Short mmCIF file of all heavy atoms in Angstrom, two decimals:
data_model
loop_
_atom_site.label_atom_id
_atom_site.label_comp_id
_atom_site.label_asym_id
_atom_site.label_seq_id
_atom_site.Cartn_x
_atom_site.Cartn_y
_atom_site.Cartn_z
N ALA A 339 23.50 47.32 5.48
CA ALA A 339 24.20 46.92 6.70
C ALA A 339 25.61 46.42 6.40
O ALA A 339 26.51 46.51 7.23
CB ALA A 339 23.40 45.83 7.43
N LEU A 340 25.79 45.88 5.19
CA LEU A 340 27.12 45.42 4.79
C LEU A 340 28.02 46.60 4.44
O LEU A 340 29.22 46.42 4.21
CB LEU A 340 27.03 44.47 3.59
CG LEU A 340 26.49 43.06 3.87
CD1 LEU A 340 26.31 42.30 2.56
CD2 LEU A 340 27.43 42.30 4.80
N GLY A 341 27.45 47.79 4.36
CA GLY A 341 28.25 48.96 4.05
C GLY A 341 28.01 49.55 2.67
O GLY A 341 28.59 50.57 2.31
N HIS A 342 27.16 48.93 1.90
CA HIS A 342 26.89 49.45 0.55
C HIS A 342 26.08 50.74 0.63
O HIS A 342 25.14 50.84 1.42
CB HIS A 342 26.14 48.41 -0.27
CG HIS A 342 26.96 47.20 -0.60
ND1 HIS A 342 27.83 47.14 -1.66
CD2 HIS A 342 27.07 46.01 0.03
CE1 HIS A 342 28.43 45.95 -1.69
NE2 HIS A 342 27.98 45.24 -0.66
N ARG A 343 26.48 51.72 -0.16
CA ARG A 343 25.78 53.00 -0.17
C ARG A 343 25.25 53.37 -1.55
O ARG A 343 24.35 54.17 -1.68
CB ARG A 343 26.72 54.11 0.33
CG ARG A 343 27.09 53.99 1.81
CD ARG A 343 25.85 54.09 2.70
NE ARG A 343 26.15 53.87 4.11
CZ ARG A 343 26.07 52.69 4.71
NH1 ARG A 343 25.68 51.62 4.03
NH2 ARG A 343 26.35 52.57 5.99
N ARG A 344 25.84 52.80 -2.57
CA ARG A 344 25.30 53.03 -3.92
C ARG A 344 24.59 51.73 -4.34
O ARG A 344 25.21 50.81 -4.86
CB ARG A 344 26.41 53.41 -4.89
CG ARG A 344 26.97 54.83 -4.62
CD ARG A 344 27.76 55.39 -5.79
NE ARG A 344 28.87 54.52 -6.18
CZ ARG A 344 30.03 54.44 -5.51
NH1 ARG A 344 30.22 55.18 -4.44
NH2 ARG A 344 30.97 53.64 -5.92
N VAL A 345 23.30 51.70 -4.10
CA VAL A 345 22.49 50.50 -4.32
C VAL A 345 21.51 50.76 -5.45
O VAL A 345 20.64 51.63 -5.33
CB VAL A 345 21.71 50.12 -3.04
CG1 VAL A 345 20.89 48.86 -3.28
CG2 VAL A 345 22.67 49.95 -1.86
N ALA A 346 21.67 50.04 -6.55
CA ALA A 346 20.76 50.22 -7.69
C ALA A 346 19.68 49.15 -7.69
O ALA A 346 19.84 48.08 -7.09
CB ALA A 346 21.55 50.16 -8.99
N PHE A 347 18.59 49.45 -8.37
CA PHE A 347 17.48 48.49 -8.49
C PHE A 347 17.23 48.20 -9.96
O PHE A 347 17.07 49.11 -10.77
CB PHE A 347 16.22 49.06 -7.85
CG PHE A 347 15.05 48.12 -7.86
CD1 PHE A 347 14.99 47.05 -6.96
CD2 PHE A 347 13.99 48.29 -8.75
CE1 PHE A 347 13.91 46.18 -6.95
CE2 PHE A 347 12.91 47.42 -8.74
CZ PHE A 347 12.87 46.36 -7.84
N ILE A 348 17.23 46.93 -10.29
CA ILE A 348 16.91 46.51 -11.66
C ILE A 348 15.49 45.96 -11.65
O ILE A 348 15.22 44.93 -11.03
CB ILE A 348 17.90 45.46 -12.16
CG1 ILE A 348 19.32 46.07 -12.18
CG2 ILE A 348 17.50 44.96 -13.54
CD1 ILE A 348 20.39 45.12 -12.68
N GLY A 349 14.58 46.69 -12.30
CA GLY A 349 13.16 46.33 -12.20
C GLY A 349 12.53 45.97 -13.53
O GLY A 349 13.21 45.82 -14.55
N TRP A 350 11.21 45.78 -13.46
CA TRP A 350 10.44 45.49 -14.66
C TRP A 350 9.80 46.78 -15.16
O TRP A 350 9.74 47.77 -14.43
CB TRP A 350 9.33 44.47 -14.33
CG TRP A 350 9.82 43.08 -14.12
CD1 TRP A 350 10.88 42.47 -14.71
CD2 TRP A 350 9.26 42.11 -13.22
NE1 TRP A 350 11.02 41.19 -14.26
CE2 TRP A 350 10.03 40.93 -13.35
CE3 TRP A 350 8.18 42.10 -12.34
CZ2 TRP A 350 9.76 39.77 -12.62
CZ3 TRP A 350 7.90 40.95 -11.62
CH2 TRP A 350 8.67 39.79 -11.76
N PRO A 351 9.26 46.73 -16.36
CA PRO A 351 8.56 47.92 -16.87
C PRO A 351 7.40 48.28 -15.95
O PRO A 351 6.83 47.42 -15.28
CB PRO A 351 8.04 47.45 -18.23
CG PRO A 351 8.93 46.32 -18.63
CD PRO A 351 9.32 45.65 -17.35
N GLU A 352 7.06 49.55 -15.94
CA GLU A 352 5.99 50.01 -15.07
C GLU A 352 4.66 49.34 -15.44
O GLU A 352 4.41 49.03 -16.61
CB GLU A 352 5.84 51.53 -15.22
CG GLU A 352 5.06 52.16 -14.08
CD GLU A 352 5.14 53.68 -14.13
OE1 GLU A 352 6.01 54.21 -14.85
OE2 GLU A 352 4.32 54.32 -13.45
N GLY A 353 3.84 49.09 -14.45
CA GLY A 353 2.50 48.58 -14.71
C GLY A 353 2.32 47.09 -14.46
O GLY A 353 1.29 46.52 -14.81
N SER A 354 3.32 46.45 -13.87
CA SER A 354 3.20 45.01 -13.71
C SER A 354 2.66 44.61 -12.33
O SER A 354 2.60 43.44 -12.02
CB SER A 354 4.54 44.33 -13.93
OG SER A 354 5.37 44.50 -12.81
N GLY A 355 2.32 45.55 -11.50
CA GLY A 355 1.76 45.16 -10.20
C GLY A 355 2.84 44.63 -9.29
O GLY A 355 3.36 45.34 -8.43
N VAL A 356 3.21 43.40 -9.52
CA VAL A 356 4.25 42.77 -8.71
C VAL A 356 5.54 43.57 -8.78
O VAL A 356 6.17 43.85 -7.76
CB VAL A 356 4.50 41.32 -9.19
CG1 VAL A 356 5.69 40.73 -8.47
CG2 VAL A 356 3.26 40.48 -8.96
N GLY A 357 5.91 43.97 -9.99
CA GLY A 357 7.15 44.72 -10.17
C GLY A 357 7.09 46.09 -9.50
O GLY A 357 8.06 46.53 -8.86
N ASP A 358 5.96 46.75 -9.63
CA ASP A 358 5.80 48.06 -9.02
C ASP A 358 5.86 47.97 -7.50
O ASP A 358 6.39 48.84 -6.82
CB ASP A 358 4.47 48.69 -9.45
CG ASP A 358 4.46 49.00 -10.94
OD1 ASP A 358 5.53 48.90 -11.57
OD2 ASP A 358 3.38 49.31 -11.47
N ASP A 359 5.30 46.88 -6.98
CA ASP A 359 5.31 46.66 -5.53
C ASP A 359 6.74 46.52 -5.03
O ASP A 359 7.14 47.13 -4.04
CB ASP A 359 4.49 45.40 -5.23
CG ASP A 359 4.44 45.10 -3.74
OD1 ASP A 359 4.22 46.03 -2.95
OD2 ASP A 359 4.60 43.91 -3.39
N ARG A 360 7.51 45.74 -5.74
CA ARG A 360 8.89 45.52 -5.31
C ARG A 360 9.69 46.81 -5.43
O ARG A 360 10.52 47.14 -4.57
CB ARG A 360 9.52 44.39 -6.13
CG ARG A 360 8.81 43.05 -5.84
CD ARG A 360 9.37 41.87 -6.61
NE ARG A 360 8.51 40.69 -6.37
CZ ARG A 360 8.64 39.53 -6.99
NH1 ARG A 360 9.59 39.34 -7.90
NH2 ARG A 360 7.83 38.53 -6.71
N LEU A 361 9.44 47.54 -6.50
CA LEU A 361 10.11 48.83 -6.66
C LEU A 361 9.76 49.77 -5.51
O LEU A 361 10.62 50.48 -4.98
CB LEU A 361 9.70 49.46 -8.00
CG LEU A 361 10.15 50.91 -8.22
CD1 LEU A 361 11.66 51.01 -8.17
CD2 LEU A 361 9.62 51.45 -9.55
N ALA A 362 8.49 49.76 -5.13
CA ALA A 362 8.05 50.61 -4.02
C ALA A 362 8.84 50.29 -2.76
O ALA A 362 9.21 51.19 -2.00
CB ALA A 362 6.55 50.44 -3.79
N GLY A 363 9.10 49.00 -2.55
CA GLY A 363 9.90 48.60 -1.40
C GLY A 363 11.30 49.18 -1.47
O GLY A 363 11.85 49.67 -0.48
N TYR A 364 11.86 49.14 -2.67
CA TYR A 364 13.20 49.70 -2.87
C TYR A 364 13.23 51.19 -2.55
O TYR A 364 14.09 51.67 -1.81
CB TYR A 364 13.65 49.44 -4.31
CG TYR A 364 14.88 50.22 -4.71
CD1 TYR A 364 16.15 49.84 -4.27
CD2 TYR A 364 14.76 51.34 -5.53
CE1 TYR A 364 17.27 50.57 -4.64
CE2 TYR A 364 15.88 52.07 -5.91
CZ TYR A 364 17.13 51.68 -5.46
OH TYR A 364 18.24 52.40 -5.83
N LEU A 365 12.25 51.91 -3.11
CA LEU A 365 12.22 53.36 -2.90
C LEU A 365 12.00 53.70 -1.43
O LEU A 365 12.64 54.62 -0.90
CB LEU A 365 11.10 53.98 -3.76
CG LEU A 365 11.32 53.85 -5.28
CD1 LEU A 365 10.12 54.38 -6.04
CD2 LEU A 365 12.60 54.58 -5.70
N ALA A 366 11.15 52.94 -0.77
CA ALA A 366 10.89 53.19 0.64
C ALA A 366 12.15 52.97 1.46
O ALA A 366 12.49 53.76 2.35
CB ALA A 366 9.77 52.28 1.13
N ALA A 367 12.87 51.89 1.15
CA ALA A 367 14.09 51.58 1.89
C ALA A 367 15.14 52.66 1.65
O ALA A 367 15.82 53.12 2.59
CB ALA A 367 14.63 50.21 1.48
N CYS A 368 15.28 53.11 0.41
CA CYS A 368 16.24 54.17 0.10
C CYS A 368 15.91 55.41 0.90
O CYS A 368 16.80 56.05 1.50
CB CYS A 368 16.20 54.50 -1.39
SG CYS A 368 17.01 53.26 -2.41
N SER A 369 14.65 55.74 0.90
CA SER A 369 14.21 56.93 1.61
C SER A 369 14.56 56.83 3.09
O SER A 369 15.11 57.75 3.69
CB SER A 369 12.71 57.12 1.40
OG SER A 369 12.17 57.97 2.37
N ARG A 370 14.25 55.68 3.67
CA ARG A 370 14.48 55.52 5.10
C ARG A 370 15.96 55.52 5.44
O ARG A 370 16.39 56.02 6.48
CB ARG A 370 13.84 54.21 5.57
CG ARG A 370 13.86 54.06 7.09
CD ARG A 370 13.30 52.74 7.53
NE ARG A 370 12.12 52.38 6.74
CZ ARG A 370 11.69 51.13 6.62
NH1 ARG A 370 12.33 50.14 7.21
NH2 ARG A 370 10.62 50.86 5.89
N LEU A 371 16.76 54.93 4.54
CA LEU A 371 18.19 54.79 4.84
C LEU A 371 19.02 55.95 4.30
O LEU A 371 20.25 55.97 4.47
CB LEU A 371 18.71 53.48 4.25
CG LEU A 371 18.06 52.20 4.79
CD1 LEU A 371 18.46 50.99 3.96
CD2 LEU A 371 18.45 52.00 6.25
N GLY A 372 18.38 56.90 3.61
CA GLY A 372 19.11 58.03 3.07
C GLY A 372 19.95 57.69 1.85
O GLY A 372 20.98 58.30 1.60
N LEU A 373 19.51 56.69 1.09
CA LEU A 373 20.23 56.32 -0.13
C LEU A 373 19.61 57.03 -1.32
O LEU A 373 18.41 57.33 -1.33
CB LEU A 373 20.16 54.81 -0.34
CG LEU A 373 20.72 53.92 0.78
CD1 LEU A 373 20.47 52.46 0.46
CD2 LEU A 373 22.20 54.20 0.99
N THR A 374 20.44 57.30 -2.33
CA THR A 374 19.92 57.91 -3.55
C THR A 374 19.41 56.80 -4.48
O THR A 374 20.19 55.94 -4.89
CB THR A 374 21.03 58.68 -4.28
OG1 THR A 374 21.63 59.59 -3.35
CG2 THR A 374 20.45 59.44 -5.47
N PRO A 375 18.13 56.81 -4.80
CA PRO A 375 17.60 55.73 -5.64
C PRO A 375 18.20 55.76 -7.04
O PRO A 375 18.43 56.83 -7.60
CB PRO A 375 16.09 56.03 -5.70
CG PRO A 375 15.84 56.98 -4.58
CD PRO A 375 17.10 57.77 -4.39
N LEU A 376 18.44 54.60 -7.56
CA LEU A 376 18.91 54.47 -8.94
C LEU A 376 18.18 53.29 -9.56
O LEU A 376 18.48 52.13 -9.26
CB LEU A 376 20.43 54.23 -8.96
CG LEU A 376 21.06 53.95 -10.32
CD1 LEU A 376 20.71 55.04 -11.33
CD2 LEU A 376 22.56 53.81 -10.19
N VAL A 377 17.20 53.60 -10.38
CA VAL A 377 16.31 52.56 -10.90
C VAL A 377 16.50 52.37 -12.40
O VAL A 377 16.49 53.33 -13.17
CB VAL A 377 14.83 52.92 -10.63
CG1 VAL A 377 13.90 51.89 -11.27
CG2 VAL A 377 14.58 53.02 -9.13
N GLU A 378 16.71 51.15 -12.80
CA GLU A 378 16.72 50.81 -14.23
C GLU A 378 15.66 49.74 -14.45
O GLU A 378 15.39 48.92 -13.57
CB GLU A 378 18.10 50.26 -14.64
CG GLU A 378 19.22 51.27 -14.52
CD GLU A 378 19.12 52.38 -15.55
OE1 GLU A 378 18.48 52.17 -16.59
OE2 GLU A 378 19.68 53.47 -15.30
N ARG A 379 15.08 49.74 -15.63
CA ARG A 379 14.04 48.76 -15.91
C ARG A 379 14.35 47.98 -17.19
O ARG A 379 14.95 48.52 -18.11
CB ARG A 379 12.68 49.45 -16.11
CG ARG A 379 12.16 50.19 -14.89
CD ARG A 379 10.99 51.06 -15.32
NE ARG A 379 10.44 51.87 -14.24
CZ ARG A 379 9.50 51.46 -13.40
NH1 ARG A 379 9.04 50.23 -13.50
NH2 ARG A 379 9.05 52.27 -12.46
N ASP A 380 13.94 46.75 -17.21
CA ASP A 380 14.02 45.98 -18.46
C ASP A 380 12.93 44.94 -18.46
O ASP A 380 12.14 44.85 -17.52
CB ASP A 380 15.41 45.35 -18.62
CG ASP A 380 15.67 44.29 -17.58
OD1 ASP A 380 14.86 43.35 -17.45
OD2 ASP A 380 16.68 44.39 -16.86
N GLU A 381 12.92 44.13 -19.49
CA GLU A 381 11.80 43.18 -19.64
C GLU A 381 11.93 41.97 -18.72
O GLU A 381 11.05 41.12 -18.68
CB GLU A 381 11.70 42.71 -21.09
CG GLU A 381 11.32 43.83 -22.06
CD GLU A 381 9.95 44.43 -21.75
OE1 GLU A 381 9.07 43.65 -21.34
OE2 GLU A 381 9.79 45.65 -21.90
N GLY A 382 13.03 41.87 -18.01
CA GLY A 382 13.11 40.83 -16.99
C GLY A 382 13.88 39.58 -17.37
O GLY A 382 14.07 38.72 -16.53
N GLY A 383 14.36 39.48 -18.60
CA GLY A 383 15.12 38.29 -18.98
C GLY A 383 16.55 38.34 -18.49
O GLY A 383 17.03 39.37 -18.01
N VAL A 384 17.22 37.19 -18.60
CA VAL A 384 18.61 37.12 -18.17
C VAL A 384 19.47 38.07 -18.99
O VAL A 384 20.27 38.84 -18.45
CB VAL A 384 19.16 35.69 -18.32
CG1 VAL A 384 20.59 35.63 -17.80
CG2 VAL A 384 18.29 34.71 -17.56
N GLU A 385 19.29 38.03 -20.27
CA GLU A 385 20.13 38.86 -21.14
C GLU A 385 19.90 40.34 -20.91
O GLU A 385 20.85 41.14 -20.92
CB GLU A 385 19.88 38.51 -22.61
CG GLU A 385 20.48 37.16 -23.03
CD GLU A 385 21.97 37.05 -22.67
OE1 GLU A 385 22.68 38.08 -22.69
OE2 GLU A 385 22.41 35.93 -22.36
#
Side-chain angles (χ1 to χ4, degrees):
Chain A
L340 286 174
H342 292 276
R343 292 298 175 267
R344 289 197 303 283
V345 181
F347 183 76
I348 298 181
W350 287 328
E352 197 170 345
S354 77
V356 173
D358 294 350
D359 180 45
R360 295 180 187 174
L361 171 60
Y364 167 76
L365 295 175
C368 284
S369 162
R370 188 183 319 158
L371 298 169
L373 302 176
T374 308
L376 175 54
V377 175
E378 296 290 337
R379 297 167 183 273
D380 66 55
E381 294 299 324
V384 183
E385 287 307 328

